[in-house]
Amino acid sequence: MDVRFLGHAAFALSDGDTTVLIDPFLTGNPGAAASADEVDATTILLTHGHSDHLGDAVPIAKRTGAPVVAIVELANEIAEEGVQVFDPNLGGTVKFDWGWVKLVPAWHTSTTPGGTVSTPAGLLISFAGKIVYHLGDTALFSDLQLVARRGDPIDVALMCIGGHYTMDRWDAVTAADLVSARTVIPCHYDTFPPIETDAEAFKSDVESSTSSEVVILAPGETHTE
Ligand code: NI
Ligand code: MN
């Protein structure tokens, strides 16, 4: 499985011809590694409706035909655009030929640019025989550890560290300890001035206090599991 960082909180998981695209905020993202009209998507997954996550999901879904998975209120808004959606709520799992995605809690807020209010989520994903946990936008909270304990261990955690809108890099060290992923890839930092942080310091703090390895990806870079 290839994990390609597209900038901010956007990732593409790919295995052969299958691509799971997460939070594709590309247009208006100063660190975007691709444009909305060039990314592939078999399925699009959204953590929540803020513009830096919903991003280009609708135009990419229309171009590629990929369905969008989002919490029910957000999915309903997207469906009005003529896009195929799956609309689980927290705790729900949606299965695909490529694996499954489960919506898990995240402590944050969520209103779309169109005004739809919903509950934000994290995404627990089974893809290509690996478990990937995109924490979404969240503060530190103790139930992060429940997600890691529910079944197979987490192979890759995609973790916000930028502070201001989410947990900062110090709280994220504790989050990394709770999640206990084999690999942690930081995101949601350095895109804008309020979320600038020191990812190398995060890496060294996590690796000195947990058994996780931190892989820092520049936008456009790929980690292979
Ligand atoms: Ni947000
Ligand atoms: Mn965000």
Side-chain angles (χ1 to χ4, degrees), residues 93-217:
T93 299
V94 182
K95 292 179 180 170
F96 293 93
D97 290 343
W98 51 258
W100 50 260
V101 57
K102 177 192 285 274
L103 265 56
V104 297
W107 269 103
H108 190 63
T109 63
S110 176
T111 307
T112 65
T116 301
V117 177
S118 61
T119 300
L123 304 170
L124 189 68
I125 302 160
S126 174
F127 180 76
K130 306 286 182 180
I131 301 290
V132 178
Y133 179 18
H134 192 308
L135 275 67
D137 281 2
T138 189
L140 175 64
F141 65 114
S142 60
D143 283 355
L144 292 168
Q145 67 195 301
L146 289 178
V147 177
R149 283 184 191 165
R150 59 159 292 288
D152 294 329
I154 312 292
D155 292 298
V156 182
L158 310 173
M159 187 175 293
C160 53
I161 68 164
H164 194 80
Y165 302 113
T166 70
M167 61 185 174
D168 58 26
R169 71 173 175 87
W170 295 276
D171 284 352
V173 174
T174 302
D177 188 36
L178 295 177
V179 170
S180 298
R182 196 154 40 75
T183 302
V184 174
I185 299 176
C187 66
H188 213 279
Y189 68 95
D190 285 0
T191 320
F192 309 108
I195 60 172
E196 285 174 1
T197 199
D198 185 342
E200 291 290 350
F202 170 72
K203 174 179 169 70
S204 105
D205 289 346
V206 169
E207 292 183 349
S208 65
S209 63
T210 78
S211 56
S212 298
E213 178 193 2
V214 175
V215 174
I216 297 171
L217 297 178

Side-chain angles (χ1 to χ4, degrees), residues 60-72:
I60 295 169
K62 286 182 174 175
R63 176 176 55 79
T64 60
V68 177
V69 180
I71 203 162
V72 56

